């Protein structure tokens, strides 16, 4: 399949790379790395990166191009890091002449002509490094930095269980191109004062279900009060990641742009250690990885229902595994 992908890349003059909605580090860095690697290795091709606005903390590692619809008719589209069609950012991919998908999600659907999916890989970027090595691609510092950023973000700084020999070897391979890790981690860790103050609020005010699901609800009013964006608030999900006994933690983020009395969409970010939560996410228009999933709900009633499901799951897990942190 790796050769089939390379042959398709060689065959097409125009290549358009798509990513998922609500972009994270892995899809942003992978997309720019693939774009730049294709340009470096095939200077005569036209290569574009498509997607919504890039969050501030990732701006340095991303690319967005305006692509006219008519270009798709003879184009190869490569979709990165996107499990399902519904999460592909920008529907123009449907007009592509040929579609390739490269992904690592557990709940990946085969929606492309070639679907290269490795569920074992903890980052899409690590799959790209594998392909680049296999294809003997030239790389440079910029490409290596984007890939390193992707791997470091999707593995929780090389912490998660999926980290294996290949990932660490690939990360080392990238470092040889001169990645400035000081700068990279500074960009990832530096926080606006407003977000830091909201983090303080989260520590003081998060709630906990009976069996230990920690959660915080970022209402529009709360985000306005602290003068932070939805993205700033959403990024705080992991400040609930080390509470003893709380093996599941959740951030709910109001998506409404006004206080009008309309049914509000609430983004849900679910995280866990040891307990798989992605199945429950599928009950709420969501999905994702075993221990990092997302969903969407539309009311506080649904929020209570979701928390109840998670609480029951955690209760059962603790009964079966008495020695947990
Ligand atoms: P997030 O909390 O947005 O970082 O998402 C965590 C993981 O779950 C990512 O791998 C996403 O691709 C996936 N995910 C998030 N939201 C959804 C959704 N609504 N449907 C399916 N997968 C999702």
């Amino acid at each position: 399949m790796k050769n089939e992908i390379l042959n398709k890349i060689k065959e097409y003059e125009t290549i358009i790379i798509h990513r998922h909605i609500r972009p994270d580090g892995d899809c942003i860095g992978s997309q720019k790395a693939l774009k730049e690697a294709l340009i470096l290795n095939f200077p005569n091709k036209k290569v574009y990166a498509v997607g919504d606005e890039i969050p501030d903390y990732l701006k340095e590692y991303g690319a967005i191009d305006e692509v006219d619809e008519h270009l798709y008719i003879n184009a190869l589209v490569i979709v990165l890091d996107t499990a399902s069609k519904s999460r592909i950012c920008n529907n123009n991919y449907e007009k592509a002449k040929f579609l390739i998908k490269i992904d690592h999600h557990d709940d990946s659907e085969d929606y492309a002509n070639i679907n290269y999916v490795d569920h074992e890989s903890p980052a899409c970027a690590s799959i790209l490094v594998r392909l680049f090595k296999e294809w003997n691609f030239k790389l440079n510092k910029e490409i290596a930095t984007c890939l390193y950023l992707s791997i470091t973000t999707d593995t929780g700084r090389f912490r998660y269980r999926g980290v294996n020999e290949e990932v660490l070897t690939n990360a080392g391979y990238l470092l040889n191109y001169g990645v400035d890790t000081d700068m990279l981690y500074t960009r990832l860790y530096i926080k606006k004062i407003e977000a830091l103050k909201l983090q303080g609020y989260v520590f003081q005010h998060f709630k906990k279900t009976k069996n230990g699901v920690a959660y915080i609800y970022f209402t529009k009013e709360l985000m306005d009060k602290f003068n932070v964006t939805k993205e700033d608030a959403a990024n705080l999900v992991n400040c609930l990641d080390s509470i003893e006994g709380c093996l599941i933690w959740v951030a709910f983020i109001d998506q409404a742009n006004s206080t009008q009395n309309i049914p509000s969409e609430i983004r849900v970010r679910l995280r866990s250690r040891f307990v798989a939560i992605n199945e429950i996410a599928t009950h709420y228009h969501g999905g994702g990885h075993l221990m990092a999933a997302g969903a969407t709900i539309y009311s506080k009633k649904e929020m209570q229902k979701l928390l109840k499901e998670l609480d029951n799951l955690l209760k059962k897990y603790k009964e079966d595994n008495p020695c947990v942190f």
Side-chain angles (χ1 to χ4, degrees), residues 30-46:
S30 293
Q31 186 188 37
K32 183 165 172 185
L34 179 58
K35 176 183 167 176
E36 296 304 326
L38 292 177
I39 292 171
L40 185 66
N41 289 276
F42 301 99
N44 295 326
K45 292 191 191 294
K46 297 201 169 29

Side-chain angles (χ1 to χ4, degrees), residues 185-197:
Y185 284 115
T186 299
R187 286 210 178 93
L188 286 178
Y189 282 108
I190 214 83
K191 282 202 176 83
K192 287 191 254 171
I193 288 179
E194 292 84 355
L196 216 50
K197 289 191 172 167

Side-chain angles (χ1 to χ4, degrees), residues 20 87 105 107 267-269 271 285-289 292-296:
H20 62 73
R87 290 189 43 86
H105 283 87
D107 56 351
R267 176 182 178 190
V268 189
R269 301 192 83 194
R271 300 290 186 270
H285 314 280
H289 302 286
T296 307

Side-chain angles (χ1 to χ4, degrees), residues 152-209:
T152 199
T153 52
D154 245 33
T155 58
R157 321 294 182 256
F158 302 99
R159 242 180 75 194
Y160 300 151
R161 193 176 274 173
V163 172
N164 53 23
E165 184 184 348
E166 186 194 24
V167 172
L168 292 175
T169 306
N170 285 346
Y173 174 79
L174 296 170
L175 286 177
N176 286 336
Y177 285 90
V179 177
D180 182 345
T181 49
D182 266 357
M183 183 55 86
L184 188 137
Y185 284 115
T186 299
R187 286 210 178 93
L188 286 178
Y189 282 108
I190 214 83
K191 282 202 176 83
K192 287 191 254 171
I193 288 179
E194 292 84 355
L196 216 50
K197 289 191 172 167
L198 182 58
Q199 184 170 334
Y201 175 93
V202 175
F203 289 142
Q204 297 279 347
H205 296 274
F206 76 88
K207 296 205 170 96
K208 196 164 99 46
T209 64

